[in-house]
Amino acid sequence: MEALKRTPFYDLYSAYAESRCIDFGGWELPVQFTGIVKEHEAVRQQAGLFDVSHMGEFMVSGSGSEAFLQLMTTNDVSRLQDGGAQYTLMLYPTGGVVDDLLVYRLGEERYMLVVNASNIDKDFQWLQEHLTAEFSGVTLTNVSDETLLLALQGPLAETILAEVTSAPIAELAPFHFIERAVVCGVEVLLSRTGYTGEDGFELYAPLDTAAVLWNGLLAAGAPHGLTPAGLGARDTLRFEAKLPLYGQELSADITPLEAGVQFFVKLDKAGFIGRDALLKQKESGLPRRLVGLEMIDRGIPRSHYPVYADGVKIGEVTTGTQSPTLKRNLGLALLDAAYTETGTEVYVEIRGKQLKAAVVKTPFYKKSQGVKPQ
């Protein structure tokens, strides 16, 4: 068996007696440090610190970079100014999703892409395959193995970060970044982005700065209730906020229109890969939609559990759990469009029994002063 990859923070996990690591896409990563629910609640109420260094980073630079990214992604890269970021997707010609990602505009014809860990090799190959003669001036570089990534998330994230940086973070708008900010004495790319439904920041830096950043942030955050958080809380937090996970809400077989992320698909932008398939799907009507479910009968919906109505299977759960914030048994499910109206009763098969549920509005959780990303 191939050895699991480890992030530069791995040796620091041992300071937590209850930390537990799992195999996540070939990486040995902490599912928890002190308990999933405790970490989840900390992020909702104070702040949590996540090691997400398994994510991939690509640099795209040179003449034609903007045009190349316009072809490869669904959002409108031309809307970005220096210091701006946007959520977007790469699609197959069929309209299915290669990956969802972030694009950072570092400067004119200079960008950073942040992709999902399990898709790093696939994404890089996909981009390389489309670097045709038309884009001969574009350079694509994979810097994933030399870049760490920390996410500081929660309502007190700004308060904590202000203690270890003089960067003007109070003025930093969501989905914007400072390319060279100094945090705990370390130069980082500091962005106001995240994956929890809360305010927060992400820090990109060289690998050898891991201990300084980790220890410095946790020390500054200790009086404010900052706790390290693992993959378990990351998943329940993003689920409550209806933030999609590749391989569950998004895949080669699920289009962004079906997944409900059409805001990040600019169909009026000509020429991007997959556009024709999405236009056709939109015109003919979506066959499936991603919706929220709340269990009426007692049971917890889980990924891939089948969903029924009128005696036939109408789809399946993509993600489900007992919401730590709302204390309700909730799920996201991709269902036949005829059964996606709020209030529709359906049945989730759990351990061989069909248990009643209802379609409910999403996101399940929204912070009081939400901001709409670009």
Side-chain angles (χ1 to χ4, degrees):
M1 284 181 61
E2 190 173 337
L4 295 177
K5 297 178 184 177
R6 293 175 173 176
T7 80
F9 298 95
Y10 180 84
D11 290 340
L12 302 173
Y13 303 159
S14 60
Y16 302 88
E18 296 176 57
S19 66
R20 182 165 61 87
C21 291
I22 60 169
D23 179 351
F24 183 80
W27 290 81
E28 191 170 1
L29 296 172
V31 68
Q32 68 171 47
F33 286 90
T34 56
I36 293 172
V37 173
K38 182 178 178 181
E39 293 162 22
H40 178 110
E41 291 174 344
V43 175
R44 288 279 181 254
Q45 298 166 17
Q46 294 96 26
L49 184 64
F50 298 83
D51 170 15
V52 281
S53 302
H54 57 299
M55 300 291 282
E57 295 84 18
F58 306 154
M59 295 296 179
V60 180
S61 61
S63 176
S65 293
E66 181 183 298
F68 176 62
L69 293 176
Q70 289 287 67
L71 169 70
M72 300 305 299
T73 66
T74 62
N75 210 332
D76 189 352
V77 178
S78 71
R79 296 185 182 186
L80 286 176
Q81 302 294 317
D82 292 358
Q86 66 181 198
Y87 175 79
T88 189
L89 304 101
M90 293 193 294
L91 304 184
Y92 294 106
T94 59
V97 179
V98 178
D99 203 3
D100 62 331
L101 62 151
L102 291 176
V103 176
Y104 291 75
R105 178 174 159 131
L106 306 175
E108 187 176 359
E109 304 288 18
R110 195 164 64 92
Y111 299 87
M112 180 173 74
L113 313 184
V114 183
V115 304
N116 284 298
S118 59
N119 292 335
I120 292 173
D121 293 340
K122 179 189 73 174
D123 289 358
F124 195 74
Q125 182 178 348
W126 179 253
L127 289 162
Q128 281 187 314
E129 287 173 2
H130 291 87
L131 278 177
T132 59
E134 178 185 357
F135 302 112
S136 59
V138 176
T139 300
L140 174 66
T141 310
N142 184 353
V143 296
S144 306
D145 289 342
E146 56 199 70
T147 308
L148 66 78
L149 175 55
L150 281 175
L152 176 65
Q153 302 283 297
L156 298 185
E158 182 183 313
T159 299
I160 294 166
L161 190 59
E163 297 189 11
V164 290
T165 184
S166 59
I169 57 173
E171 303 164 18
L172 189 64
F175 280 76
H176 286 76
F177 66 92
I178 302 167
E179 186 175 359
R180 292 183 175 84
V182 176
V183 177
C184 300
V186 173
E187 187 174 275
V188 306
L189 186 154
L190 176 65
S191 67
R192 199 160 203 161
T193 47
Y195 190 54
T196 62
E198 298 293 342
D199 185 22
F201 301 85
E202 293 184 301
L203 296 79
Y204 302 82
L207 299 185
D208 60 3
T209 63
V212 172
L213 286 171
W214 180 266
N215 293 328
L217 286 165
L218 286 173
H224 304 286
L226 177 63
T227 182
L231 293 173
R234 181 172 159 87
D235 192 50
T236 54
L237 289 158
R238 70 91 194 165
F239 163 75
E240 289 182 345
K242 201 194 176 187
L243 299 173
L245 176 64
Y246 188 87
Q248 291 180 218
E249 285 74 40
L250 298 168
S251 74
D253 300 317
I254 303 172
T255 74
L257 303 186
E258 293 172 326
V261 291
Q262 61 272 8
F263 178 81
F264 307 100
V265 178
K266 307 307 183 190
L267 289 172
D268 57 348
K269 183 188 80 167
F272 68 83
I273 296 171
R275 177 176 179 264
D276 291 346
L278 295 188
L279 283 172
K280 185 175 180 180
Q281 187 178 68
K282 184 178 180 181
E283 289 165 5
S284 60
L286 296 181
R288 307 178 295 178
R289 293 181 187 274
L290 187 72
V291 298
L293 295 181
E294 180 171 1
M295 297 302 300
I296 297 172
D297 291 337
R298 189 173 179 179
I300 299 176
R302 302 290 187 188
S303 297
H304 305 301
Y305 282 10
V307 181
Y308 294 86
D310 297 330
V312 296
K313 183 180 176 183
I314 59 165
E316 69 174 29
V317 175
T318 59
T319 304
T321 191
Q322 182 179 77
S323 163
T325 302
L326 304 171
K327 313 302 182 188
R328 292 151 50 195
N329 294 340
L330 302 172
L332 293 171
L334 192 63
L335 303 183
D336 184 308
Y339 298 90
T340 55
E341 287 294 321
T342 299
T344 302
E345 288 191 352
V346 298
Y347 292 85
V348 181
E349 185 176 302
I350 301 177
R351 297 189 182 90
K353 294 182 179 180
Q354 290 192 14
L355 303 180
K356 188 183 293 186
V359 175
V360 295
K361 292 181 179 180
T362 56
F364 305 115
Y365 170 86
K366 186 183 294 185
K367 66 184 169 104
S368 57
Q369 293 184 322
V371 286
K372 202 170 191 179
Q374 294 187 39

